[in-house]
């Protein structure tokens, strides 16, 4: 199936975002197919609004976090995935989101990002991790269901499902690492 990285010998590394990562994130989003952009952002946006980019690269400590999956390509990092969580209005609950470049899909990058962002949310004291997924995003729904997330159709939007898991029911080891 090949590597999720452009260079076959490169490994995927997942790390916390830094303030200097805005160009990597812009490049990741711009490089997504229109389908991948729609499945992540529920719109065809080609570029992240500056306000959203700032929230992603400057998460509020304890209330939000962003992780990047990166490959080293020709001596520079290239983002192949990103995951975030952010606190909701409901106490001890947060929402997560994940996106993986088209090239890196099917290599376990998304699963690892979901695991790690959920672990970061649990470590920050959140008791329930949730998110919204378009019904047509079958691959993501299968991954979430296999991980133990509960899926339900949202009352107001039949095309959107709510996925959530209590932090206490997460079935994976937060110390686990590795991407196939």
């Amino acid at each position: 199936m090949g590597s999720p990285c452009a260079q076959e010998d490169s490994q995927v590394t997942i790390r916390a975002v830094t303030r200097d990562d805005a160009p990597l994130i812009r490049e990741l989003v711009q490089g997504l197919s229109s389908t991948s952009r729609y499945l992540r952002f529920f719109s065809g946006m080609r570029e992240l609004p500056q306000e959203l980019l700032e929230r992603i690269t400057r998460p509020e400590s304890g209330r939000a976090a962003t992780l990047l999956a990166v490959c080293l390509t020709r001596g520079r990092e290239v983002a192949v995935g990103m995951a975030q969580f952010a606190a909701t209005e409901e106490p001890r609950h947060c929402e997560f989101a994940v996106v993986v470049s088209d090239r890196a899909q099917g290599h376990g990058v998304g699963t690892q990002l979901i695991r790690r962002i959920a672990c970061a949310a649990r470590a920050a004291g959140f008791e329930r991790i949730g998110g919204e997924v378009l019904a047509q995003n079958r691959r993501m729904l299968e991954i979430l269901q296999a991980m133990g997330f509960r899926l339900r159709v949202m009352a107001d939007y039949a095309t959107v499902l709510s996925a959530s898991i209590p932090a206490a029911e997460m079935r994976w080891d937060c110390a686990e690492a590795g991407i196939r």
Side-chain angles (χ1 to χ4, degrees), residues 69-133:
V70 296
C71 293
L72 196 59
T73 302
R74 294 184 191 93
R76 82 181 217 8
E77 282 188 327
V78 174
V80 296
M82 176 175 63
Q84 304 105 319
F85 80 75
T88 66
E89 296 297 318
E90 198 167 337
R92 300 186 202 275
H93 288 213
C94 68
E95 287 186 338
F96 79 96
V98 65
V99 67
V100 175
S101 71
D102 292 83
R103 176 182 176 84
Q105 290 174 19
H107 292 276
V109 176
T111 300
Q112 288 300 318
L113 282 167
I114 294 165
R115 285 179 179 160
R116 294 201 188 169
I117 204 67
C119 288
R122 182 172 70 186
F126 291 97
E127 294 174 358
R128 179 169 293 279
I129 297 109
E132 296 177 354
V133 183

